[in-house]
Amino acid sequence: MSKHKLFKLGAAAALSVTGVSAITSLKTVRAANFTAVKRVKISYLPGKSLNIWTNYENGKFMGYRAKDGSVWNVAETAVDSKGSLWYKVGTREWIEARYTVDVNEEEPVKTAAKTTKKKSPVANLANKVKRATQKKKTTKEDKVKKANQIVNETVKKTTANKKTNTSSIQASSKAASVVALAKEQVGKPYVWGATGPDKFDCSGLVQYVYQHAAGINLPRTTYDQVKVGQTVPLDKLQAGDLVFWGSETAPYHVAIYIGNNQYVNSATPDQGTILQNMSSYYYPTIAKRVL
């Protein structure tokens, strides 16, 4: 194997190397000094390492991988013909950006000193007199106006509640359809770039299920799917919500939450499309509600 300079952050980097016998060993590669465009951390599936390629466009697997959680310096960025972002981390070594998260420098927190002005007893007395005078000026016309306002607000709330109830029923029906169709895909293989109906990648599964179960046309990639819908807290998930892993602006993985702390996702080539339980070890970073 020819020598390559890899821009791993630190003095040395541990890489997984796969040979013909498919036995995994570890190789240590010394870091190269250079001016980095940015720093990124590998954020792949737990226990898995990320393939390193010879090029961002039709590149070949170089036989070794970047370990999950390791931090790398990026010398160059590029976008392939499919619109996917890539990072150059060596003289000719490239990794897919969707399996990384940015590493930012910590900024010092500035705390402004709080100042409290004490009011004089005379000012306090003047304020009390002013409030009492204003209270006495409340007239019969003011009371009638307030009563009319209350009636109008009540009518608006009643109308809004009817619309909300109708929308909730429709959303619940679509969510049930999404969950049912997602479960039907369990067991089908994972193929990068596949959109069904017999094989999927993670975002392809989401796009297929929502289009056929709810009539909603979602974007093709996780980068664009995370921009759709309403952000919801991860402790308030509902069946049919989308859950993402990685950066909140450029996540690398997406799944369909089906309730009971479970989700369906097209995980990896080894696992295929599977149903999994939420885990604190591998917990999503953001959730979106599109129904």
Side-chain angles (χ1 to χ4, degrees):
M1 179 185 294
S2 60
K3 295 182 179 179
H4 306 282
K5 291 183 178 181
L6 299 177
F7 307 148
K8 174 70 171 64
L9 186 67
L15 300 178
S16 301
V17 182
T18 304
V20 175
S21 62
I23 298 176
T24 300
S25 59
L26 292 178
K27 178 181 179 181
T28 301
V29 180
R30 188 171 302 279
N33 295 325
F34 75 105
T35 302
V37 175
K38 62 190 299 185
R39 292 187 301 160
V40 296
K41 182 169 68 174
I42 304 300
S43 184
Y44 200 43
L45 297 177
K48 301 288 184 179
S49 298
L50 182 62
N51 289 352
I52 296 180
W53 303 87
T54 58
N55 202 332
Y56 67 91
E57 189 71 65
N58 299 323
K60 296 181 179 180
F61 175 47
M62 301 196 72
Y64 45 91
R65 301 178 173 90
K67 295 182 66 176
D68 184 44
S70 58
V71 178
W72 295 78
N73 287 327
V74 176
E76 184 180 337
T77 64
V79 178
D80 62 20
S81 58
K82 295 181 179 180
S84 297
L85 179 65
W86 291 73
Y87 293 148
K88 187 177 184 181
V89 295
T91 53
R92 65 185 187 96
E93 286 78 10
W94 292 82
I95 60 174
E96 290 185 78
R98 64 172 176 161
Y99 299 121
T100 68
V101 293
D102 291 347
V103 178
N104 299 319
E105 296 290 344
E106 293 185 356
E107 298 181 356
V109 178
K110 296 181 180 180
T111 304
K114 294 183 178 179
T115 58
T116 304
K117 295 182 179 180
K118 293 184 177 180
K119 294 183 178 179
S120 66
V122 175
N124 288 334
L125 179 59
N127 287 334
K128 290 181 179 179
V129 172
K130 183 178 179 180
R131 288 194 297 269
T133 303
Q134 290 175 342
K135 186 176 181 180
K136 290 181 179 180
K137 290 181 178 179
T138 302
T139 62
K140 181 178 180 180
E141 289 78 11
D142 294 329
K143 292 181 179 180
V144 172
K145 183 179 179 181
K146 183 65 175 178
N148 290 333
Q149 182 181 355
I150 293 173
V151 171
N152 291 333
E153 289 178 353
T154 302
V155 172
K156 289 181 180 179
K157 287 181 179 179
T158 302
T159 305
N161 288 337
K162 289 181 180 179
K163 292 181 179 179
T164 301
N165 291 337
T166 302
S167 299
S168 298
I169 293 173
Q170 293 175 346
S172 298
S173 177
K174 288 184 178 180
S177 299
V178 166
V179 170
L181 187 57
K183 288 182 177 180
E184 290 178 8
Q185 311 314 308
V186 172
K188 293 183 179 180
Y190 173 100
V191 176
W192 188 79
T195 58
D198 300 320
K199 51 191 175 184
F200 304 94
D201 65 9
C202 64
S203 56
L205 172 69
V206 168
Q207 185 186 51
Y208 175 84
V209 169
Y210 271 80
Q211 182 179 12
H212 289 81
I216 297 176
N217 294 318
L218 292 178
R220 172 63 188 90
T221 66
T222 55
Y223 308 121
D224 293 324
Q225 289 175 355
V226 76
K227 300 174 184 177
V228 179
Q230 175 187 1
T231 302
V232 294
L234 290 169
D235 60 351
K236 302 293 184 183
L237 292 176
Q238 295 180 7
D241 288 344
L242 299 181
V243 287
F244 296 84
W245 285 260
S247 167
E248 293 186 1
T249 56
Y252 63 86
H253 191 59
V254 62
I256 301 171
Y257 183 74
I258 62 172
N260 297 323
N261 211 35
Q262 295 180 318
Y263 59 89
V264 172
N265 70 133
S266 197
T268 66
D270 293 335
Q271 295 173 301
T273 302
I274 56 177
L275 187 152
Q276 292 181 280
N277 291 318
M278 300 281 277
S279 167
S280 58
Y281 173 69
Y282 183 58
Y283 204 72
T285 54
I286 187 172
K288 288 285 186 167
R289 184 163 297 155
V290 298
L291 295 177

